[in-house]
Amino acid sequence: MHRHDELLNGMYNALVRGDLRQTDAGWTLVASTVVEPMGSGKTRDALRVLRRTRRSTDRYLERRGLRRPKVQWDRFRELAAEAELRGRR
């Protein structure tokens, strides 16, 4: 999860680990751990984390002989729209 203002300032990010479970209402994340890696939320901390995360991802993919997957942005937008509609009910 993350949040920030319209200029991407004051960024806050946390990694949530847990189990994804299907319920009658849809999918639910049952959190078991929350890790807050962003530091102070200042721009330099955010850039440091993003660079470190990208390097870690590159190493992970390289060790497994995998290519970076293409993000399915259209599907993400559909899921976000569905979640927003459910939130208005």
Side-chain angles (χ1 to χ4, degrees), residues 10-58:
M11 187 179 291
Y12 171 83
N13 141 321
L15 169 67
V16 179
R17 293 181 182 157
D19 296 316
L20 191 58
R21 299 183 184 161
Q22 190 165 20
T23 67
D24 292 339
W27 290 94
T28 300
L29 175 65
V30 179
S32 60
T33 307
V34 177
V35 179
E36 299 184 42
M38 287 302 285
S40 69
K42 293 182 179 177
T43 303
R44 70 174 180 265
D45 288 338
L47 291 173
R48 177 183 45 80
V49 170
L50 291 172
R51 286 183 188 120
R52 187 178 65 216
T53 302
R54 184 166 183 97
R55 286 191 304 265
S56 295
T57 300
D58 289 342

